[in-house]
Amino acid sequence: MQKREDNGEAIARNLLEMCRLKVPTICIVIGEGSSGGALAIGIGDKILMLENAIYSVLSPEGFASILYKDSNKFSEAAEQMKITAKDLKELEIIDEIIKETQGGAQNNEKQTYSNVKKSIIKHLKALKKLNTDTLLEQRYQKFRTIGQKYVKFD
């Protein structure tokens, strides 16, 4: 039990420290961003994703195990979870989808690197114009409102 508590505390401490960073943070999901790491990615001033990546705090297998009591139903779970770059952009959870070459990033790594670099430069230029107080406040508000388009409270 101690290990789970230590992991939770480490994740919480990481989130707190990331919130306090006085420099712009740009997080990029390049494959599968999940679990505690997904929480940390959510702290970024800008969250970018390669178009074929997935991003969620829980894996589809874990979600299927909880929801359906059957981890083999991960495909149905993934559809319900809305974990693709397209879904997350529509839900305003991520800021940009980075285009991949036909067949995926691995088919033309140089083009993928170039696309990622262009996105980083674009967002960094905008973020560098903000003073530290504004940067920290915008980061805080972004994290506080993430996913509100998806979850409706009455």
Side-chain angles (χ1 to χ4, degrees), residues 52-117:
N52 294 313
I54 61 171
Y55 172 47
S56 174
V57 294
L58 182 63
S59 72
E61 294 83 1
F63 186 85
S65 292
I66 294 167
L67 186 65
Y68 304 118
K69 308 289 187 243
D70 182 358
S71 63
N72 292 320
K73 293 188 176 187
F74 63 89
S75 292
E76 295 96 325
E79 180 66 31
Q80 286 188 325
M81 293 173 72
K82 307 289 186 205
I83 60 177
T84 67
K86 182 177 181 255
D87 291 332
L88 295 170
K89 178 69 174 137
E90 288 174 9
L91 295 169
E92 300 173 358
I93 293 173
I94 66 165
D95 299 292
E96 182 182 346
I97 298 171
I98 301 172
K99 197 86 172 122
E100 293 184 52
T101 56
Q102 184 68 26
Q106 72 282 356
N107 287 342
N108 189 337
E109 293 172 358
K110 284 186 179 187
Q111 184 61 53
T112 300
Y113 301 151
S114 176
N115 293 347
V116 169
K117 181 179 178 179

Side-chain angles (χ1 to χ4, degrees), residues 131-146:
N131 68 47
T132 302
D133 291 338
T134 302
L135 180 73
L136 293 173
E137 180 62 23
Q138 283 184 6
R139 182 183 301 148
Y140 175 76
Q141 292 303 326
K142 177 182 173 73
F143 190 71
R144 296 261 312 153
T145 60
I146 200 165

